[in-house]
Amino acid sequence: MLALFRWFRRAPFPRTSPEQFRTSRPGHAGFLPSPANGQDDIMWIDRLITALLFIVGAVNLLPAVVAVAPSRISTAYGISIDGAHSADLTVLLRHRAVLLGLVGIGLLCAAFIPSLRVAAMVAGAVSMGTFLLFAHAAPALNGATMRVARIDIAAIALLAVAAALVWRKNA
């Protein structure tokens, strides 16, 4: 995360004279110089979109660990995979982990490839949104599943901010 913060901070500030610094436009709260042709604004928006999609992609990629380590199912979802139907449940949850991993990889790629952004954001929103709808409709969920729902709420909010920034940038 520290490396991502350092990368985000690397945006070059234009060199300005003291007079240009004092006469910066109000949108920058008087401490940044007015960008030439809005290119600096676009650069900051692009970096923010990249950071948001990277975070949401990582959130979607983390559950993919269950696909290769089924012993993590009880930790991730707070359910027991022992019993008569444990093999079925294990296969279904591992399959879910693979699908979440694909969505996460798509979002991570979209963070750095702008042409993939809309499709990846739609896939992420549908994936997390349907889970939230199903979780809301379920009568009683355990604490681990509610934790997953809260994480998805935060991730979908970040995704909405990224979508708004993409829309603003392309408008």
Side-chain angles (χ1 to χ4, degrees), residues 84-107:
H85 301 289
S86 66
D88 296 327
L89 184 61
T90 301
V91 168
L92 289 171
L93 288 175
R94 289 178 76 189
H95 181 258
R96 178 186 186 278
V98 168
L99 294 177
L100 283 173
L102 289 173
V103 171
I105 288 171
L107 286 164

Side-chain angles (χ1 to χ4, degrees), residues 19-39:
E19 178 59 33
Q20 288 173 324
F21 186 79
R22 283 191 293 279
T23 60
S24 63
R25 66 185 181 152
H28 285 283
F31 65 90
L32 286 179
S34 179
N37 300 326
Q39 291 301 316

